[in-house]
């Protein structure tokens, strides 16, 4: 029932890429171009400027994007309400989650959620916390989940789960015989962190600042873009990593990693929902209620 052209247009507009829209919507690139050309013919205007292999929205494109966001949101609510008359919960839910959450928290939750609501189609975007917040502001996702560092006043943050970041070393490395380290020793040990923009690194940085330590005081060997990358690097080196306890439970049980305590340094955080102010989509509410019922803060 929905005009597929609006959905295609919005996807191209938020990605500024015909290729990415094709991949995201599972529609061929010629079909994507056809839908955009039909809209341009219908309204007798260009929606995109095409320059040097890149595209950008024209003034008409920006206006249409504003309307498309409103129309597609209203359609989603209509679809939900009409199906609810038949006791059927259906619709499309676009989730964004920071890397740690998308890898170690959400798969189990989504599997359980879909067992209860099999007619809800879910897609999930993964990125660091700042990328997820940006995707939400650009209307590329309906709801995000990030580490609990509140940044954007135009977004709303709601805690749903506690987490702890722990220092890990390889059980085969030179630090394997240590149980604790002092803050001074921490400064000289080679360490691997997540990349800048990561919520995990933000939380670590704030915890260190409370002990009057900056990142420049540490012996940072490398910044890596994923927790899995840190784990693999630490496993095969004498470096330390600081990661979510949720990401290493199996490896600790299997004696791959060991947790080392740092005197006076505990790094706790909250995982939070992040939404646009004022947004109250029914599918978002269903997901939030499902998660918060399972995980009490």
């Amino acid at each position: 029932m929905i005009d597929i052209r609006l959905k295609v247009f919005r996807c191209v507009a938020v990605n500024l890429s015909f290729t990415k829209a094709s991949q995201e919507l599972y529609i061929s690139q010629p079909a994507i171009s056809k839908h955009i050309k039909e809209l341009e013919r219908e309204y007798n205007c260009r929606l995109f400027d095409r320059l040097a292999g890149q595209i950008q929205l024209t003034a008409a494109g920006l206006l249409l994007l504003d309307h498309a966001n409103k129309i597609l949101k209203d359609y989603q609510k209509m679809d939900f309400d009409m199906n609810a008359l038949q006791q059927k919960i259906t619709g499309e839910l676009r989730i964004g989650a920071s890397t740690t959450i998308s890898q170690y928290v959400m798969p189990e939750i989504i599997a359980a959620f879909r067992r209860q609501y099999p007619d809800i189609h879910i897609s999930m975007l993964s990125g660091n916390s700042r990328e997820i917040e940006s995707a939400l502001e650009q209307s590329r996702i309906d709801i995000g989940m990030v580490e609990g560092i509140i940044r954007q006043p135009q977004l709303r943050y709601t805690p749903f789960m506690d987490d702890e970041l722990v220092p890990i070393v390889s059980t085969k490395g030179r630090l394997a015989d240590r149980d604790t380290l002092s803050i001074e020793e921490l400064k000289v040990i080679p360490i691997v962190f997540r990349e800048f923009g990561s919520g995990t690194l933000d939380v670590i940085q704030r915890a260190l600042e409370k002990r009057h330590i900056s990142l420049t005081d540490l012996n940072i060997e490398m910044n890596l873009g994923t927790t899995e990358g840190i784990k693999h690097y630490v496993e095969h080196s004498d470096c330390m990593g600081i990661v979510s306890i949720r990401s290493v439970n199996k490896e600790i049980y299997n004696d791959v990693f060991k947790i080392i305590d740092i005197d006076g340094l505990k790094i706790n955080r909250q995982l939070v929902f992040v939404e646009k102010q004022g947004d109250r989509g029914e599918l978002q509410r269903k997901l939030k209620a499902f998660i918060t019922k399972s995980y009490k803060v």
Side-chain angles (χ1 to χ4, degrees), residues 179-195:
D179 294 317
T180 62
L181 291 171
S182 69
I183 286 290
E184 291 305 312
E185 288 176 306
L186 177 65
K187 293 179 180 180
V188 299
I189 289 172
I191 193 164
V192 184
F193 280 142
R194 284 287 304 278
E195 80 286 4

Side-chain angles (χ1 to χ4, degrees), residues 116 160 273 286-296:
Q116 185 165 334
F160 69 89
F273 299 115
K286 290 287 184 187
L287 180 67
K288 289 173 65 179
F290 184 88
I291 294 175
T292 51
K293 183 178 178 180
S294 302
Y295 298 94
K296 300 297 183 182

Side-chain angles (χ1 to χ4, degrees), residues 93-126 141 143-145 160-161 273 283 286-288 290-292 294-295:
L93 185 58
R94 301 170 302 158
I95 299 170
S98 58
T99 309
T100 299
I101 298 173
S102 67
Q103 287 183 313
Y104 307 110
V105 177
M106 287 309 296
E108 180 181 351
I109 288 175
I110 290 177
F113 183 74
R114 292 207 73 251
R115 284 195 294 271
Q116 185 165 334
Y117 302 106
D119 295 313
I120 296 178
H121 175 72
I122 295 176
S123 60
M124 185 165 70
L125 173 71
S126 180
I141 57 176
I143 185 171
M145 279 155 278
F160 69 89
M161 185 184 298
F273 299 115
L283 296 184
K286 290 287 184 187
L287 180 67
K288 289 173 65 179
F290 184 88
I291 294 175
T292 51
S294 302
Y295 298 94

Side-chain angles (χ1 to χ4, degrees), residues 167 169 175-182 258-263:
V169 298
L175 295 171
D177 60 342
R178 299 293 301 273
D179 294 317
T180 62
L181 291 171
S182 69
K258 175 181 179 178
I259 295 175
I260 294 184
D261 291 326
I262 309 296
D263 288 340

